[in-house]
PDB file of all heavy atoms in Angstrom:
ATOM      1  N   ALA A 127       6.169  -6.722  -6.813  1.00  0.00           N
ATOM      2  CA  ALA A 127       5.407  -7.143  -5.631  1.00  0.00           C
ATOM      3  C   ALA A 127       4.232  -6.208  -5.369  1.00  0.00           C
ATOM      4  O   ALA A 127       4.400  -5.146  -4.779  1.00  0.00           O
ATOM      5  CB  ALA A 127       6.302  -7.213  -4.401  1.00  0.00           C
ATOM      6  N   PRO A 128       3.045  -6.624  -5.821  1.00  0.00           N
ATOM      7  CA  PRO A 128       1.849  -5.914  -5.371  1.00  0.00           C
ATOM      8  C   PRO A 128       1.559  -6.341  -3.943  1.00  0.00           C
ATOM      9  O   PRO A 128       2.146  -7.314  -3.455  1.00  0.00           O
ATOM     10  CB  PRO A 128       0.762  -6.445  -6.316  1.00  0.00           C
ATOM     11  CG  PRO A 128       1.214  -7.829  -6.643  1.00  0.00           C
ATOM     12  CD  PRO A 128       2.731  -7.784  -6.663  1.00  0.00           C
ATOM     13  N   SER A 129       0.673  -5.635  -3.272  1.00  0.00           N
ATOM     14  CA  SER A 129       0.246  -6.074  -1.951  1.00  0.00           C
ATOM     15  C   SER A 129      -0.330  -7.485  -2.076  1.00  0.00           C
ATOM     16  O   SER A 129      -1.008  -7.799  -3.055  1.00  0.00           O
ATOM     17  CB  SER A 129      -0.783  -5.105  -1.380  1.00  0.00           C
ATOM     18  OG  SER A 129      -1.821  -4.866  -2.315  1.00  0.00           O
ATOM     19  N   ALA A 130      -0.041  -8.350  -1.074  1.00  0.00           N
ATOM     20  CA  ALA A 130      -0.374  -9.777  -1.181  1.00  0.00           C
ATOM     21  C   ALA A 130      -1.801 -10.070  -0.733  1.00  0.00           C
ATOM     22  O   ALA A 130      -2.038 -10.943   0.109  1.00  0.00           O
ATOM     23  CB  ALA A 130       0.636 -10.600  -0.381  1.00  0.00           C
ATOM     24  N   ASN A 131      -2.751  -9.335  -1.294  1.00  0.00           N
ATOM     25  CA  ASN A 131      -4.176  -9.560  -1.020  1.00  0.00           C
ATOM     26  C   ASN A 131      -4.879  -9.857  -2.336  1.00  0.00           C
ATOM     27  O   ASN A 131      -4.374  -9.501  -3.404  1.00  0.00           O
ATOM     28  CB  ASN A 131      -4.788  -8.294  -0.406  1.00  0.00           C
ATOM     29  CG  ASN A 131      -4.521  -7.065  -1.254  1.00  0.00           C
ATOM     30  OD1 ASN A 131      -3.396  -6.519  -1.217  1.00  0.00           O
ATOM     31  ND2 ASN A 131      -5.486  -6.656  -2.055  1.00  0.00           N
ATOM     32  N   LYS A 132      -6.045 -10.507  -2.254  1.00  0.00           N
ATOM     33  CA  LYS A 132      -6.887 -10.612  -3.446  1.00  0.00           C
ATOM     34  C   LYS A 132      -7.363  -9.222  -3.816  1.00  0.00           C
ATOM     35  O   LYS A 132      -7.593  -8.385  -2.934  1.00  0.00           O
ATOM     36  CB  LYS A 132      -8.095 -11.524  -3.157  1.00  0.00           C
ATOM     37  CG  LYS A 132      -7.730 -13.007  -3.083  1.00  0.00           C
ATOM     38  CD  LYS A 132      -8.289 -13.772  -4.292  1.00  0.00           C
ATOM     39  CE  LYS A 132      -7.596 -15.097  -4.513  1.00  0.00           C
ATOM     40  NZ  LYS A 132      -8.222 -16.254  -3.877  1.00  0.00           N
ATOM     41  N   SER A 133      -7.491  -8.926  -5.102  1.00  0.00           N
ATOM     42  CA  SER A 133      -7.962  -7.610  -5.533  1.00  0.00           C
ATOM     43  C   SER A 133      -9.248  -7.242  -4.809  1.00  0.00           C
ATOM     44  O   SER A 133     -10.154  -8.069  -4.701  1.00  0.00           O
ATOM     45  CB  SER A 133      -8.229  -7.600  -7.036  1.00  0.00           C
ATOM     46  OG  SER A 133      -7.040  -7.357  -7.721  1.00  0.00           O
ATOM     47  N   GLY A 134      -9.302  -6.012  -4.297  1.00  0.00           N
ATOM     48  CA  GLY A 134     -10.511  -5.558  -3.606  1.00  0.00           C
ATOM     49  C   GLY A 134     -10.522  -5.841  -2.109  1.00  0.00           C
ATOM     50  O   GLY A 134     -11.434  -5.420  -1.405  1.00  0.00           O
ATOM     51  N   ARG A 135      -9.525  -6.555  -1.607  1.00  0.00           N
ATOM     52  CA  ARG A 135      -9.416  -6.817  -0.160  1.00  0.00           C
ATOM     53  C   ARG A 135      -8.372  -5.868   0.434  1.00  0.00           C
ATOM     54  O   ARG A 135      -7.531  -5.349  -0.290  1.00  0.00           O
ATOM     55  CB  ARG A 135      -8.980  -8.275   0.079  1.00  0.00           C
ATOM     56  CG  ARG A 135      -9.989  -9.295  -0.418  1.00  0.00           C
ATOM     57  CD  ARG A 135     -11.003  -9.646   0.639  1.00  0.00           C
ATOM     58  NE  ARG A 135     -10.383 -10.362   1.749  1.00  0.00           N
ATOM     59  CZ  ARG A 135     -10.840 -10.298   3.018  1.00  0.00           C
ATOM     60  NH1 ARG A 135     -11.861  -9.532   3.316  1.00  0.00           N
ATOM     61  NH2 ARG A 135     -10.251 -11.004   3.965  1.00  0.00           N
ATOM     62  N   PRO A 136      -8.402  -5.638   1.737  1.00  0.00           N
ATOM     63  CA  PRO A 136      -7.381  -4.762   2.330  1.00  0.00           C
ATOM     64  C   PRO A 136      -5.997  -5.382   2.211  1.00  0.00           C
ATOM     65  O   PRO A 136      -5.855  -6.596   2.249  1.00  0.00           O
ATOM     66  CB  PRO A 136      -7.798  -4.676   3.804  1.00  0.00           C
ATOM     67  CG  PRO A 136      -9.174  -5.228   3.890  1.00  0.00           C
ATOM     68  CD  PRO A 136      -9.355  -6.158   2.736  1.00  0.00           C
ATOM     69  N   SER A 137      -4.985  -4.546   2.091  1.00  0.00           N
ATOM     70  CA  SER A 137      -3.609  -5.041   2.039  1.00  0.00           C
ATOM     71  C   SER A 137      -3.280  -5.783   3.331  1.00  0.00           C
ATOM     72  O   SER A 137      -3.740  -5.407   4.409  1.00  0.00           O
ATOM     73  CB  SER A 137      -2.636  -3.872   1.872  1.00  0.00           C
ATOM     74  OG  SER A 137      -2.808  -3.253   0.628  1.00  0.00           O
ATOM     75  N   PRO A 138      -2.472  -6.852   3.225  1.00  0.00           N
ATOM     76  CA  PRO A 138      -2.137  -7.652   4.411  1.00  0.00           C
ATOM     77  C   PRO A 138      -1.029  -7.016   5.240  1.00  0.00           C
ATOM     78  O   PRO A 138       0.003  -6.622   4.717  1.00  0.00           O
ATOM     79  CB  PRO A 138      -1.655  -8.980   3.825  1.00  0.00           C
ATOM     80  CG  PRO A 138      -1.245  -8.673   2.424  1.00  0.00           C
ATOM     81  CD  PRO A 138      -1.914  -7.413   1.992  1.00  0.00           C
ATOM     82  N   THR A 139      -1.227  -6.950   6.533  1.00  0.00           N
ATOM     83  CA  THR A 139      -0.204  -6.433   7.431  1.00  0.00           C
ATOM     84  C   THR A 139       0.346  -7.533   8.334  1.00  0.00           C
ATOM     85  O   THR A 139       1.181  -7.281   9.190  1.00  0.00           O
ATOM     86  CB  THR A 139      -0.767  -5.282   8.294  1.00  0.00           C
ATOM     87  OG1 THR A 139      -1.911  -5.769   9.013  1.00  0.00           O
ATOM     88  CG2 THR A 139      -1.201  -4.111   7.427  1.00  0.00           C
ATOM     89  N   ARG A 140      -0.152  -8.749   8.153  1.00  0.00           N
ATOM     90  CA  ARG A 140       0.326  -9.929   8.895  1.00  0.00           C
ATOM     91  C   ARG A 140       0.297 -11.116   7.948  1.00  0.00           C
ATOM     92  O   ARG A 140      -0.532 -11.152   7.027  1.00  0.00           O
ATOM     93  CB  ARG A 140      -0.611 -10.253  10.063  1.00  0.00           C
ATOM     94  CG  ARG A 140      -0.727  -9.118  11.020  1.00  0.00           C
ATOM     95  CD  ARG A 140      -1.843  -9.314  12.008  1.00  0.00           C
ATOM     96  NE  ARG A 140      -1.944  -8.061  12.751  1.00  0.00           N
ATOM     97  CZ  ARG A 140      -2.494  -7.913  13.939  1.00  0.00           C
ATOM     98  NH1 ARG A 140      -3.035  -8.937  14.539  1.00  0.00           N
ATOM     99  NH2 ARG A 140      -2.523  -6.747  14.521  1.00  0.00           N
ATOM    100  N   ALA A 141       1.153 -12.110   8.224  1.00  0.00           N
ATOM    101  CA  ALA A 141       1.159 -13.316   7.395  1.00  0.00           C
ATOM    102  C   ALA A 141      -0.229 -13.959   7.391  1.00  0.00           C
ATOM    103  O   ALA A 141      -0.697 -14.456   6.356  1.00  0.00           O
ATOM    104  CB  ALA A 141       2.216 -14.294   7.903  1.00  0.00           C
ATOM    105  N   ALA A 142      -0.911 -13.922   8.536  1.00  0.00           N
ATOM    106  CA  ALA A 142      -2.242 -14.551   8.631  1.00  0.00           C
ATOM    107  C   ALA A 142      -3.229 -13.936   7.629  1.00  0.00           C
ATOM    108  O   ALA A 142      -4.121 -14.624   7.126  1.00  0.00           O
ATOM    109  CB  ALA A 142      -2.785 -14.415  10.050  1.00  0.00           C
ATOM    110  N   HIS A 143      -3.064 -12.637   7.333  1.00  0.00           N
ATOM    111  CA  HIS A 143      -3.951 -11.999   6.344  1.00  0.00           C
ATOM    112  C   HIS A 143      -3.735 -12.589   4.950  1.00  0.00           C
ATOM    113  O   HIS A 143      -4.672 -12.703   4.161  1.00  0.00           O
ATOM    114  CB  HIS A 143      -3.688 -10.494   6.271  1.00  0.00           C
ATOM    115  CG  HIS A 143      -4.002  -9.750   7.537  1.00  0.00           C
ATOM    116  ND1 HIS A 143      -3.511  -8.488   7.785  1.00  0.00           N
ATOM    117  CD2 HIS A 143      -4.754 -10.085   8.615  1.00  0.00           C
ATOM    118  CE1 HIS A 143      -3.957  -8.065   8.969  1.00  0.00           C
ATOM    119  NE2 HIS A 143      -4.703  -9.026   9.490  1.00  0.00           N
ATOM    120  N   VAL A 144      -2.476 -12.918   4.657  1.00  0.00           N
ATOM    121  CA  VAL A 144      -2.174 -13.497   3.340  1.00  0.00           C
ATOM    122  C   VAL A 144      -2.826 -14.874   3.225  1.00  0.00           C
ATOM    123  O   VAL A 144      -3.466 -15.197   2.222  1.00  0.00           O
ATOM    124  CB  VAL A 144      -0.650 -13.594   3.096  1.00  0.00           C
ATOM    125  CG1 VAL A 144      -0.366 -14.114   1.692  1.00  0.00           C
ATOM    126  CG2 VAL A 144       0.035 -12.255   3.330  1.00  0.00           C
ATOM    127  N   TYR A 145      -2.688 -15.684   4.311  1.00  0.00           N
ATOM    128  CA  TYR A 145      -3.317 -17.017   4.305  1.00  0.00           C
ATOM    129  C   TYR A 145      -4.832 -16.900   4.185  1.00  0.00           C
ATOM    130  O   TYR A 145      -5.481 -17.719   3.545  1.00  0.00           O
ATOM    131  CB  TYR A 145      -2.950 -17.796   5.572  1.00  0.00           C
ATOM    132  CG  TYR A 145      -1.485 -18.179   5.648  1.00  0.00           C
ATOM    133  CD1 TYR A 145      -0.685 -17.730   6.690  1.00  0.00           C
ATOM    134  CD2 TYR A 145      -0.900 -18.985   4.657  1.00  0.00           C
ATOM    135  CE1 TYR A 145       0.664 -18.074   6.765  1.00  0.00           C
ATOM    136  CE2 TYR A 145       0.436 -19.331   4.728  1.00  0.00           C
ATOM    137  CZ  TYR A 145       1.208 -18.870   5.784  1.00  0.00           C
ATOM    138  OH  TYR A 145       2.540 -19.205   5.848  1.00  0.00           O
ATOM    139  N   GLU A 146      -5.381 -15.876   4.834  1.00  0.00           N
ATOM    140  CA  GLU A 146      -6.828 -15.661   4.798  1.00  0.00           C
ATOM    141  C   GLU A 146      -7.311 -15.515   3.343  1.00  0.00           C
ATOM    142  O   GLU A 146      -8.339 -16.054   2.962  1.00  0.00           O
ATOM    143  CB  GLU A 146      -7.107 -14.357   5.546  1.00  0.00           C
ATOM    144  CG  GLU A 146      -8.414 -14.242   6.267  1.00  0.00           C
ATOM    145  CD  GLU A 146      -8.404 -12.949   7.088  1.00  0.00           C
ATOM    146  OE1 GLU A 146      -7.925 -13.008   8.239  1.00  0.00           O
ATOM    147  OE2 GLU A 146      -8.833 -11.896   6.583  1.00  0.00           O
ATOM    148  N   ASP A 147      -6.544 -14.793   2.529  1.00  0.00           N
ATOM    149  CA  ASP A 147      -6.963 -14.559   1.140  1.00  0.00           C
ATOM    150  C   ASP A 147      -6.583 -15.702   0.208  1.00  0.00           C
ATOM    151  O   ASP A 147      -7.269 -15.957  -0.774  1.00  0.00           O
ATOM    152  CB  ASP A 147      -6.329 -13.266   0.600  1.00  0.00           C
ATOM    153  CG  ASP A 147      -7.073 -12.017   1.062  1.00  0.00           C
ATOM    154  OD1 ASP A 147      -7.909 -12.136   1.983  1.00  0.00           O
ATOM    155  OD2 ASP A 147      -6.810 -10.924   0.514  1.00  0.00           O
ATOM    156  N   PHE A 148      -5.462 -16.390   0.468  1.00  0.00           N
ATOM    157  CA  PHE A 148      -4.916 -17.318  -0.528  1.00  0.00           C
ATOM    158  C   PHE A 148      -4.736 -18.753  -0.037  1.00  0.00           C
ATOM    159  O   PHE A 148      -4.329 -19.605  -0.829  1.00  0.00           O
ATOM    160  CB  PHE A 148      -3.558 -16.810  -1.037  1.00  0.00           C
ATOM    161  CG  PHE A 148      -3.639 -15.524  -1.805  1.00  0.00           C
ATOM    162  CD1 PHE A 148      -3.319 -14.314  -1.212  1.00  0.00           C
ATOM    163  CD2 PHE A 148      -4.043 -15.515  -3.141  1.00  0.00           C
ATOM    164  CE1 PHE A 148      -3.390 -13.124  -1.911  1.00  0.00           C
ATOM    165  CE2 PHE A 148      -4.113 -14.333  -3.857  1.00  0.00           C
ATOM    166  CZ  PHE A 148      -3.786 -13.126  -3.243  1.00  0.00           C
ATOM    167  N   GLY A 149      -5.005 -19.028   1.243  1.00  0.00           N
ATOM    168  CA  GLY A 149      -4.748 -20.378   1.734  1.00  0.00           C
ATOM    169  C   GLY A 149      -3.298 -20.747   1.511  1.00  0.00           C
ATOM    170  O   GLY A 149      -2.411 -19.935   1.743  1.00  0.00           O
TER     171      GLY A 149
END
Side-chain angles (χ1 to χ4, degrees):
S129 51
N131 53 282
K132 286 250 161 93
S133 276
R135 297 271 293 150
S137 294
T139 57
R140 301 168 187 201
H143 296 162
V144 184
Y145 292 120
E146 211 173 273
D147 280 13
F148 294 100

